[in-house]
Amino acid sequence: MELAGALQLGELAAAFAALPVFPLFDTAYFIVSVLYLQYAPGAVEMSRKSPFASWLCAMLHCFGSYILADLLLGESPLDYFSNNSSVILATAVWYLIFFCPMNLFYKCVSFLPMKLIFVAMKEVVRVRKIAAGVHHAHHRYHHGWFIMMATGWVKGSGVALMSNFEQLLRGVWKPETNEILHMSFPTKASLYGTILFTLQQTRWLPVSEANLIFFFTMFMIVCKVFMTATHSHASPFAPVESFICPVFFGSVSSGHTSHHHDQHRASHEVSHPSPPPAKSKEELNEGTRKRKAKKAE
């Protein structure tokens, strides 16, 4: 029974890995990507003032990972735009979300039950892109582990890594929102996932690629759907990271914290000087008597 169950699970994973992502899953990927653009402050106003800039931002949200991966591998960043079907499909999604009469399309796809389905389908595409990026880099650089990990990482989270450039197209410059400084859950998950796929590709992880795609996709779907449904930004990796990171990378010492606090307090005192000491009651009475004497004279 256990062997039969394992065989059935292997067949299920193989069938899932062979499932085509175009056009159904790609459509869901484009919908969620353009929805995130629509949520950005000023994105709707920009679509009215400059539709071309809005379209470029939407294309970056849909194909930014491919562009960044091609740049890393020394290929033309415009290669993926030769796929006319994908570009036309992404353009249609962008137009319907921003310009559909009465916002009917946006209201339908942003309805939470529908949105959760699209989010789950997007994670299917994300994991496929990570696996394809690692496989592509392994084909060109057989022993380049870091090249495989870098390519798989940007394939899974290239849109977030290019967020500052996309903000420039919208006329916004916020360097403090750099994704590398403040990694979101998809970026971290893509990084950890590409490490697993690199180990699998180099035969250090004894598991088939189909099984890894299946189980990692299930993990991503469960986490991302739960976070979207609960509007949570807490990373599932936080408990493990809070335990491991202080051991291997240390933590901020109390001395640094107190020194920073002292500097902040000193700057606060300089910028806001303390008011002069209040006069005593006797001094106030003395001043009142002198003013009355001057008036009498």
Side-chain angles (χ1 to χ4, degrees):
M1 293 296 293
E2 294 180 358
L3 180 60
L7 291 176
Q8 291 178 358
L9 183 60
E11 293 175 357
L12 175 63
F16 180 79
L19 192 67
V21 297
F22 184 86
L24 191 60
F25 290 92
D26 276 347
T27 302
Y29 183 90
F30 296 152
I31 288 174
V32 177
S33 298
V34 180
L35 272 180
Y36 287 153
L37 171 63
Q38 206 267 358
Y39 294 155
V44 177
E45 292 78 5
M46 180 190 66
S47 66
R48 304 301 189 268
K49 295 179 181 178
S50 179
F52 180 68
S54 177
W55 178 81
L56 281 179
C57 291
M59 295 304 103
L60 281 181
H61 275 261
C62 295
F63 307 117
S65 56
Y66 298 100
I67 295 172
L68 197 54
D70 288 340
L71 289 174
L72 287 180
L73 295 176
E75 300 175 358
S76 172
L78 298 179
D79 277 350
Y80 195 80
F81 285 90
S82 62
N83 191 342
N84 296 327
S85 300
S86 295
V87 176
I88 293 174
L89 181 59
T91 302
V93 170
W94 161 77
Y95 185 85
L96 289 174
I97 288 180
F98 279 95
F99 303 104
C100 182
M102 296 184 292
N103 280 338
L104 289 179
F105 187 78
Y106 168 76
K107 292 176 181 178
C108 291
V109 298
S110 61
F111 181 54
L112 187 58
M114 291 293 297
K115 184 179 178 180
L116 293 179
I117 296 175
F118 294 140
V119 166
M121 296 172 69
K122 179 181 180 179
E123 296 310 310
V124 175
V125 180
R126 187 195 304 276
V127 177
R128 297 290 187 87
K129 288 164 64 177
I130 294 174
V134 172
H135 182 78
H136 187 190
H138 179 261
H139 179 72
R140 297 190 56 178
Y141 304 93
H142 296 287
H143 304 289
W145 284 35
F146 292 100
I147 299 177
M148 297 179 207
M149 288 188 286
T151 307
W153 187 34
V154 301
K155 272 291 187 82
S157 58
V159 178
L161 296 173
M162 296 180 66
S163 59
N164 289 112
F165 180 70
E166 186 269 332
Q167 288 172 357
L168 283 177
L169 291 179
R170 292 191 283 113
V172 180
W173 174 241
K174 294 182 179 180
E176 69 276 4
T177 61
N178 193 313
E179 185 67 19
I180 297 179
L181 293 176
H182 308 283
M183 288 190 186
S184 59
F185 166 73
T187 304
K188 285 185 179 181
S190 298
L191 177 59
Y192 299 147
T194 194
I195 293 174
L196 294 177
F197 279 100
T198 300
L199 293 175
Q200 187 278 329
Q201 194 69 233
T202 54
R203 301 295 187 269
W204 283 85
L205 187 64
V207 63
S208 66
E209 184 180 22
N211 286 335
L212 185 57
I213 289 176
F214 177 77
F215 287 110
F216 193 70
T217 302
M218 294 301 107
F219 167 76
M220 291 294 295
I221 288 176
V222 170
C223 292
K224 202 67 176 72
V225 168
F226 175 79
M227 294 173 67
T228 304
T230 58
H231 303 285
S232 172
H233 297 285
S235 173
F237 304 119
V240 179
E241 292 173 348
S242 63
F243 175 76
I244 295 178
C245 291
V247 175
F248 289 96
F249 306 109
S251 58
V252 180
S253 62
S254 59
H256 290 166
T257 305
S258 61
H259 178 66
H260 175 74
H261 177 71
D262 292 341
Q263 286 185 340
H264 177 73
R265 184 173 60 186
S267 62
H268 181 75
E269 290 175 354
V270 171
S271 58
H272 299 283
S274 58
K279 294 182 179 181
S280 64
K281 187 175 181 181
E282 291 77 7
E283 291 176 346
L284 291 174
N285 293 335
E286 183 68 23
T288 304
R289 286 196 298 269
K290 287 182 179 180
R291 285 195 298 271
K292 288 183 178 180
K294 287 183 180 178
K295 287 182 179 179
E297 291 177 356

